[in-house]
Amino acid sequence: MATDEPNVSFGDVSHSTFAVGSHAQAVSHHGTAPQRDQAAEELLKAVRELRADLARVRTTDQTAALDTALADTETEITSTGQATPTRRERLRELLADSQALLTVLASAGAVAGLVGL
């Protein structure tokens, strides 16, 4: 057994980010949640309500695409604190294509209004 090997010891590593090795990378996801402004909070609430309402209607290609976009929007708002203009534009397009849905679900109208449709 070789005795010239370096010694490495780790103490308490809770709430720490580190990487070991020549090509290792460390990414930290610790910290506080991103701050959301009032508009982002309102959009997040409306997105969640519409997703819940969509679960109650018959699934079509349109409603599935809308639900996917809403899920992506929810994830983006909760992880970054905002929905990017591109994300809002995608929702506008999908909601414009779902005019019949807007008349049936009040929550669809709320999201449409918040993304500027």
Side-chain angles (χ1 to χ4, degrees):
M1 184 178 284
T3 59
D4 59 346
E5 293 181 17
N7 291 327
V8 176
S9 65
F10 294 97
D12 180 11
V13 294
S14 59
H15 307 293
S16 300
T17 304
F18 59 90
V20 177
S22 62
H23 298 290
Q25 293 181 343
V27 177
S28 176
H29 295 284
H30 301 287
T32 59
Q35 295 295 316
R36 295 188 289 259
D37 62 15
Q38 184 64 29
E41 285 292 339
E42 289 176 18
L43 180 57
L44 181 59
K45 181 182 178 201
V47 162
R48 288 175 172 163
E49 288 176 6
L50 179 52
R51 289 194 73 209
D53 286 345
L54 283 178
R56 296 179 193 74
V57 299
R58 183 175 55 88
T59 301
T60 65
D61 289 343
Q62 276 185 314
T63 60
L66 180 57
D67 185 57
T68 298
L70 290 167
D72 292 345
T73 302
E74 184 176 352
T75 299
E76 185 172 63
I77 293 171
T78 57
S79 63
T80 69
Q82 64 179 342
T84 61
T86 304
R87 181 84 54 208
R88 290 172 179 263
E89 179 60 32
R90 177 70 177 140
L91 286 177
R92 277 193 291 275
E93 290 170 5
L94 290 168
L95 289 166
D97 290 344
S98 303
Q99 286 298 319
L101 187 64
L102 291 176
T103 61
V104 174
L105 299 175
S107 58
V111 172
L114 289 167
V115 296
L117 183 64

